[in-house]
Amino acid sequence: MQLESALDGFIAYLGAERGYSEHTINAYSSDLRDLANYAERRNVKSLDGITLEFLRDWLYESAQSGLSKTTLARRSASVRSFTAWMRRQGISENDAGARLKSPKAEHSLPRVISMPQLDEIFEGLVERASEGEPLALRDLAIIELLYASGLRVSELVGLSMGDVDLDRLTVRVMGKGSKERVVPFGIPAASALTDYLTRSRKLLVEGKPATTAFFVGARGGKLSTRAVYGLVASLLEPLGGSGPAGPHALRHTAATHLLDGGADLRIVQEMLGHASMGTTQIYTHVSMERLTSSYQQAHPRA
């Protein structure tokens, strides 16, 4: 089997059998297509040429091109998964990537939006929505739900009409690995969601092809992740500060504010849909950093 055929089979396996999200599959595909391009430049066409030395050379070239340690670590993980799959499928006798090491990813603390900044964001959204413009009502509902529930952007745009329970104040989401969970939200989010359903969504889908998507775009179809990224970025950019300015910042903020308020770490883990407690524990570092900063500013003998 040629490399390209093996790659196609692996990508299909990720979607059909592992249930990975479109975003994750695209990341694997991007990494491995770059590997295939490198193999073509090296005139390596058969799987026998995918050796440990070859993979190390590929990562070295990637590093020389200026890729971050985080990207290099992801590429290494992608190719290890690929070669392990080929070994299990009997496509290759050896698992060339099993001993492939990668640089440790750069770990930076997630961006957290302060309460005064959040208040400023919501005040602006509420003012816009008060005029009854359908997209303004929708945008307020999106930001309220992202912050209230800590959803991933893929989970938000994947919501169907039956997933949001306004009576119980919960939302049912399908997370990574096709794992379902139920997440609560509060009264402000419920109010914004109700206004969106009664005053906005009906207008946006009127005369358009029927859709079960909860959040819809200006043309009445399912809302795209790109649109949500654009919305959040437009709200966070004027605030300044460092760190990513996408929807994940609201997820980080929700988790940190929950822990600051005394929520149990395991409850936050379940709410966010983290498979590992270690993933959630990064927010304890954020909270501790905020505590230390406040102490140093406020305590007379700090």
Side-chain angles (χ1 to χ4, degrees):
M1 179 182 287
Q2 298 298 308
L3 178 58
E4 285 289 348
S5 298
L7 287 178
D8 290 340
F10 178 65
I11 297 302
Y13 155 79
L14 293 179
E17 298 187 35
R18 296 301 298 271
Y20 284 177
S21 69
E22 181 181 353
H23 175 77
T24 301
I25 292 174
N26 287 340
Y28 272 91
S29 181
S30 174
D31 293 338
L32 296 174
R33 295 302 172 193
D34 187 86
L35 174 68
N37 291 335
Y38 178 72
E40 184 176 355
R41 295 196 303 273
R42 292 279 298 269
N43 200 30
V44 173
K45 298 181 180 179
S46 71
L47 296 178
D48 293 338
I50 308 300
T51 63
L52 177 60
E53 289 72 25
F54 172 85
L55 295 176
R56 285 172 173 168
D57 289 345
W58 170 60
L59 281 183
Y60 176 77
E61 182 181 274
S62 299
Q64 293 300 106
S65 69
L67 295 182
S68 68
K69 290 183 178 180
T70 301
T71 301
L72 293 173
R74 192 196 68 204
R75 284 194 168 188
S76 180
S78 295
V79 79
R80 283 198 300 269
S81 296
F82 174 53
T83 58
W85 172 81
M86 287 197 296
R87 178 69 179 83
R88 291 195 304 271
Q89 296 296 313
I91 297 172
S92 175
E93 294 183 1
N94 301 308
D95 183 354
R99 294 190 294 120
L100 183 67
K101 294 182 179 180
S102 60
K104 292 183 178 180
E106 300 157 334
H107 294 291
S108 58
L109 292 177
R111 178 177 185 174
V112 176
I113 307 165
S114 69
M115 282 308 305
Q117 289 175 327
L118 276 174
D119 289 340
E120 181 181 339
I121 289 173
F122 282 122
E123 285 173 6
L125 288 169
V126 169
E127 183 177 352
R128 285 172 47 202
S130 65
E131 299 179 4
E133 201 277 319
L135 292 181
L137 289 165
R138 183 207 62 186
D139 291 348
L140 174 59
I142 287 172
I143 301 303
E144 283 281 14
L145 186 59
L146 281 174
Y147 174 62
S149 59
L151 297 186
R152 301 178 178 94
V153 63
S154 59
E155 295 168 346
L156 179 105
V157 300
L159 291 176
S160 296
M161 290 296 290
D163 293 331
V164 180
D165 190 331
L166 290 169
D167 293 325
R168 297 184 178 181
L169 302 184
T170 59
V171 57
R172 183 177 67 245
V173 299
M174 188 66 70
K176 289 186 175 180
S178 298
K179 294 181 179 178
E180 185 179 281
R181 70 186 190 280
V182 176
V183 183
F185 54 82
I187 299 298
S191 177
L193 291 169
T194 299
D195 282 346
Y196 161 69
L197 287 176
T198 58
R199 301 169 56 199
S200 172
R201 189 182 184 279
K202 291 182 178 180
L203 294 176
L204 292 173
V205 300
E206 187 176 8
K208 309 295 194 312
T211 177
T212 60
F214 187 84
F215 285 110
V216 296
R219 298 181 179 179
K222 179 182 175 182
L223 186 67
S224 68
T225 57
R226 178 176 294 184
V228 181
Y229 269 95
L231 168 62
V232 177
S234 69
L235 295 172
L236 298 188
E237 185 177 1
L239 302 179
S242 60
H248 237 63
L250 290 170
R251 179 171 162 87
H252 296 325
T253 300
T256 303
H257 288 178
L258 280 167
L259 290 170
D260 286 347
D264 182 82
L265 186 62
R266 188 163 296 279
I267 297 300
V268 176
Q269 177 192 0
E270 293 178 1
M271 178 174 169
L272 297 182
H274 286 158
S276 167
M277 178 69 79
T279 307
T280 316
Q281 284 177 332
I282 188 173
Y283 300 111
T284 64
H285 300 314
V286 176
S287 295
M288 183 56 67
E289 187 178 73
R290 287 156 61 92
L291 172 61
T292 301
S293 176
S294 297
Y295 174 84
Q296 291 174 343
Q297 293 179 23
H299 198 287
R301 297 183 69 84

